[in-house]
Amino acid sequence: MLEIRDLRVQFETRNGTVDAVRGIDLDLARGETLGIVGESGSGKSVTAFSMLRILDAGGEIASGRLSYGGIDLAQADDAAMNDIRGREISMIFQNPRAALNPVRKVGHQIEDVLRQHAQATAQDARDKAIAALQEVEIKDAAARYHAYPFELSGGMCQRVVIALALACRPQLLIADEPTTGLDVTTQKTVMDLIQALAQDRQMGVILITHDLGLAGMYCDQLVVMKDGEIVEKGAPGVLTKSAAHAYTKRLLAATPHKGKMLHELVVDGTAQPLPAQGELLLSVQDVTKTYEGKSGAVHALRGVSFDLHKGGCLGLVGESGSGKSTVSSIIARLQDATTGDVQFAGASLFDVPAAKFASDPRRSQIQMVFQDATDSLNPRHTAAQCIEEPLRHLAGIGRRARRDRVQEIAGLVGLPDTLLSRLPHQLSGGQKARVGIARALAVEPQLLILDEPTAALDVSIQAVVLNLLAELRHRLRLTYLFVSHDLAVVQMLCDNVVVMRSGKMEEIGPTRDVLASPQSAYTQQLLDAMPSPAH
Amino acid sequence: MSTAEQQSFIGHVGYVLRQNPVTMIAFGMLAALVFCAVFGPSLVPYDPLASSDKILQPPNASHWFGTDHLGRDVFSRVVVATRLDMVISIGAVALSFVAGSILGCVAGYWGGWFDSIISRGLDMIMAFPLFVLAMGIVAALGNTVENVIYATAVINTPFYARVVRAEVNIRREAGFVQAAKLAGNSDLRVVALHIFPNALPPMMVQVSLNMGWAVLNAAGLSFIGLGVRPPTPEWGIMVAEGANYIISGEWWLAVFPGLWLMLAVFTFNLLGDGLRDMVDPRQRR
């Protein structure tokens, strides 16, 4: 059905021409699912965009043939492409909320597509739109027809996007990271839905993802891309068991799954001995948080209690809205709790309100690494300035001593000196994560709160950063509170785990026990949703 | 700022200028205006206030822009007036920039009651026809250059405050702001040193547009007899005085100061994009 030969895509940029895709070949038969796996910058999304000819400004197909059912997509005129987009080939985007028009009802948006391709008339558009919503298993579709995107959850939005993409019954669906921003349990249902619809309609699917585990579960064929080239292709079973190319091997190794050890993620990694646990450092006692919402009180936390000993690492696991980030920001003293208490090294943290905590002597003892490294670095400050910032206020040392300390800590997290004078936008994702960790470690805190520090990173970089964290914990005798949605990552790093759901604790216990024999049905559900390439 | 950073900033300014010819032209024109403002009085061929018996002469070799009804050289008057008009517009913009930034930061960062009071106050200013408001302020406070500056600053402040309020508000919960709090910064430091600088790029566009308005506003006030008084050379007064003579064919009295004024406004408006790119670190490679 689809045949791509020697596709090359180039981008004109300020620093000259960049080859984003360098001569790739792909084939896809009707009803088949092809997975394109690669990390950011590998050219996998550009390949997909070039099939629909929706490349960003400055990008063009330099050479190659993109033949779809006899039509060369690289040569087709704009009118022909408009017909093909949506009706023959359709696409699901990474961020479902951004893909929907925020000021139009979702039903109307589906009608627009149907009318555009003359698949419906003014009379039956509404019924067909509701039918399309029913097909993606949206409950009470007639009511949801009137919903605006902001009224729906992320998973629901992605279902609407899928309904939009499939409304005109295309032959080929391109899914570009369709579940990246979604919770694991939602990810599973969305992917199952795509798979079921594809089988039902004998539709070809191209799944673009950075997650080898996910691609392995849902694809018939896999290609692994790196730097605009295909390094390896094959059936998932074969590829995961006997990968030939070094890059595929590294990618496979870096993908966390149940039962894997942390040092196995990187080539020649060494296992860090578990630090001995000392006295009680942090004790969270029945903390609650209630917001005044527009429609009454919102209970973000309904009583959370746990202990963390010196040198230990506690994983706080939950999906979005579970309250895990609220707990971490209360402990980091960025906000106040409604009731409850947090004892840190024997004294209550709540004696000082969050707004005044900046001048508390314990400020330097509790530091935090943020989820989104890009968002957490001031775009106007260089890496060195970012790392120096806490030293400036909390360490009370002179300018020269600060500069030495910045270099020392940068060396500790593996950040070369030459990068220190760069601004955040001049750094890669992994380098920004290192700056964030260096900043938090600069004042030698006792407790480090890690709020999904690797969620925005590629798996290979995640592997390196996680190993770095384990090494630092051992070397500096640090205590970690590790917040994550990913049980696979938590089981490698943490000795104890707290599973949270809608502001309540579902389960608490040693990580090994919780993973081996979960007591709560929800934990079991989370475990089941974890993709694993070894099957 | 260390010397290395200064060099990289100068290098970046050079890059922005080379990249965009319009910016280059605008900065060239600004340099010419500043030159006139600083050295104009000592360079012009005639005393701008001295009258002579050569009245209402059309442009010629010795009087490039002609002479007015008192025999004063129009070219000298136009060039000398640059300083006064620049002082008024830069002074007014600087005042409204500072006042607007402070009000906008308070409203955007602390929100709540502060925000309600400040925003409604600014809305009240905006609700008046701004030029009439400026007329009222100058008429009430007295007819001096300082009062023209104050009046122009007052009517421009709401624009700055609104830009800053919006820019500060969207960054209030950003990760780098929380990180700054963790680093022991007080709220005041967070807003002044971490959030506000990020509002500079859109502010620069506002500044460049506002400079043009401020010049026009000062000239407009003088035109209707408020603000600067004759015989002081000022573009607005000169246009006002010259307007009486257009009907009898002495067009140069109004046209040359008008053209000069237009050129100044045009220069300021062209500066916007270039200034924004200069203060935006993301433009650096």
Side-chain angles (χ1 to χ4, degrees), chain A residues 104-184:
Chain A
R104 264 177 91 65
K105 292 176 178 172
V106 294
H108 290 168
Q109 298 191 41
I110 296 175
E111 279 185 19
D112 290 344
V113 181
L114 290 167
R115 304 277 298 273
Q116 173 72 33
H117 290 291
Q119 301 282 314
T121 59
Q123 287 74 39
D124 63 359
R126 194 190 143 96
D127 294 337
K128 286 195 175 176
I130 292 175
L133 286 173
Q134 275 161 349
E135 255 184 299
V136 292
E137 294 165 19
I138 289 180
K139 290 188 199 88
D140 203 3
R144 292 290 180 217
Y145 173 93
H146 294 289
Y148 289 95
F150 74 89
E151 295 171 324
L152 302 174
S153 67
M156 274 298 185
C157 278
Q158 193 59 292
R159 281 168 194 269
V160 172
V161 172
I162 294 171
L164 263 177
L166 299 185
C168 296
R169 309 212 152 245
Q171 297 299 307
L172 173 61
L173 177 71
I174 303 172
D176 185 9
E177 304 261 12
T179 58
T180 301
L182 304 179
D183 289 325
V184 272

Side-chain angles (χ1 to χ4, degrees), chain A residues 452-519:
Chain A
E452 308 227 27
T454 60
L457 301 176
D458 282 328
V459 277
S460 59
I461 300 165
Q462 163 172 292
V464 176
V465 170
L466 288 176
N467 273 284
L468 172 71
L469 287 171
E471 187 199 324
L472 290 172
R473 175 185 169 202
H474 177 65
R475 184 132 54 117
L476 305 176
R477 294 261 304 129
L478 291 168
T479 310
Y480 286 167
L481 178 63
F482 190 88
V483 181
S484 179
H485 67 277
D486 194 346
L487 266 173
V489 171
V490 168
Q491 57 110 11
M492 292 186 293
L493 200 64
C494 305
D495 350 288
N496 290 297
V497 63
V498 174
V499 179
M500 288 187 64
R501 186 188 192 184
S502 19
K504 280 192 295 234
M505 303 204 322
E506 279 281 327
E507 190 158 3
I508 181 167
T511 313
R512 202 170 309 164
D513 300 352
V514 171
L515 261 78
S517 54
Q519 300 301 307

